[in-house]
Amino acid sequence: MKSLSGMLFCASGIVLMCCMDAVAKALGADLTTFQVVFLRYLGSAIWLTLWIALTGASWPKKADLGRQAQRAALLVVTASLFFYAVTHLPLAVVAALGMTAPVYVTLLGAIFFHEKIGPGAWLALGLGAAGSAIIIFAGETNPFGSINGDAIAWAAALLAPLTYAIVVALLKHHSGREDPAAMTMGQSLLAAIFAFPLALGAWPEITPKIAGLGTLIGLLGAVGFLLLINGLRRLPVSVFAVLDYTALIWAGLLGFFFFSEIPGPQLWIGGSLIIAACALNSRRAAQPQTAS
């Protein structure tokens, strides 16, 4: 029963986070990338404040401010890269490239935590790189193609999972010291503060559409993350990794129905290699480590 509830929590969280990305893409038609980032984190901070107040969960602590500021700065960078990419590229393409984050985490673990990288990890890194290359260069929307070739957007789509992997590495280092709700609320509020100066400038008229989407993006981000955290408490990470692969399907469906995007075969071929890399990486991480 616990495992089933964990799967439902995680699956629901993944769907909501994919919907949040679609809302960011829709907002990108009217707002700058930094304005979308500001709304995303301000909204999440407000919703999480209400959630903590209603549930009696822990509030952020002053002692955790420095760690939360580190993560908040990286989250602003990551969200800016990702939201710029989804505004200029198909949603499913950016989602597929975003799946390389767990593979980046392996590499960062070796650099910052001196974790050993064996043959399996190198194979996962190679598969992830090959899948990314197919997605980027095999389609008509590649950076050097004649149709919608946006080199900056492709660079943003590649860098976003790398900066997100750094966030994950920090979360791994900090998770034992902070409550999940307090951690998320604190870093969201600080991210909104950091994004505010970047979001200054000419704002469009706040229409009902912009107001509704601006409210929705924060709610989806806050609830989606809380569902994922609660699901991860009930499931092994390896099981969550398999569920996370469904994000590519949801991104493809959302892109098709709301933005008339039709993914090409290079997405599914490259995405399959990236999924294989993540599956290999998860299986390797789940194996007991022998003492050296």
Side-chain angles (χ1 to χ4, degrees):
M1 188 66 181
K2 185 177 180 181
S3 177
L4 178 60
S5 64
M7 292 182 68
L8 291 174
F9 277 130
C10 283
S12 300
I14 290 166
V15 173
L16 291 185
M17 297 302 282
C18 289
C19 290
M20 184 197 72
D21 297 337
V23 172
K25 184 177 180 70
L27 280 171
D30 300 299
L31 303 177
T32 68
T33 298
F34 294 128
Q35 289 168 348
V36 177
V37 172
F38 172 70
L39 289 179
R40 183 260 186 269
Y41 286 112
L42 178 64
S44 289
I46 293 172
W47 287 111
L48 285 165
T49 298
L50 292 173
W51 190 85
I52 292 174
L54 291 174
T55 61
S58 300
W59 292 96
K61 299 176 182 178
K62 186 177 180 180
D64 299 327
L65 185 63
R67 291 189 293 270
Q68 290 174 349
Q70 289 177 358
R71 299 193 304 270
L74 284 167
L75 285 170
V76 170
V77 173
T78 301
S80 298
L81 291 169
F82 191 86
F83 290 167
Y84 182 87
V86 297
T87 302
H88 295 81
L89 295 172
L91 189 61
V93 167
V94 182
L97 293 175
M99 289 182 178
T100 58
V103 183
Y104 284 134
V105 170
T106 298
L107 188 59
L108 291 172
I111 296 173
F112 294 110
F113 302 111
H114 306 291
E115 296 176 353
K116 183 179 179 181
I117 296 185
W122 285 114
L123 178 58
L125 289 169
L127 287 172
S132 299
I134 290 172
I135 291 173
I136 294 171
F137 297 108
E140 293 181 337
T141 59
N142 71 74
F144 307 105
S146 58
I147 304 176
N148 298 328
D150 190 330
I152 298 177
W154 283 106
L158 281 172
L159 288 174
L162 176 59
T163 57
Y164 179 69
I166 299 175
V167 174
V168 172
L170 286 176
L171 285 171
K172 175 182 177 180
H173 187 57
H174 299 163
S175 59
R177 309 179 188 181
E178 302 176 48
D179 178 79
M183 172 187 292
T184 310
M185 184 266 173
Q187 68 190 26
S188 296
L189 180 59
L190 288 171
I193 293 172
F194 293 159
F196 176 71
L198 302 172
L200 292 175
W203 281 72
E205 178 185 355
I206 304 301
T207 63
K209 171 193 170 184
I210 294 177
L213 292 176
T215 303
L216 185 59
I217 192 173
L219 177 62
L220 290 171
V223 178
F225 188 86
L226 288 175
L227 286 171
L228 290 176
I229 291 296
N230 280 282
L232 282 169
R233 288 178 173 178
R234 295 167 169 83
L235 284 179
V237 175
S238 58
V239 176
F240 168 75
V242 176
L243 287 173
D244 196 35
Y245 304 151
T246 62
L248 182 57
I249 298 173
W250 291 115
L253 290 173
L254 290 167
F256 176 76
F257 284 111
F258 292 102
F259 305 104
S260 301
E261 298 172 349
I262 302 177
Q266 75 281 356
L267 171 69
W268 305 113
I269 296 172
S272 297
L273 289 177
I274 292 173
I275 289 174
C278 294
L280 179 63
N281 199 52
S282 297
R283 182 178 178 182
R284 182 192 63 84
Q287 292 175 347
Q289 302 296 314
T290 58
S292 56

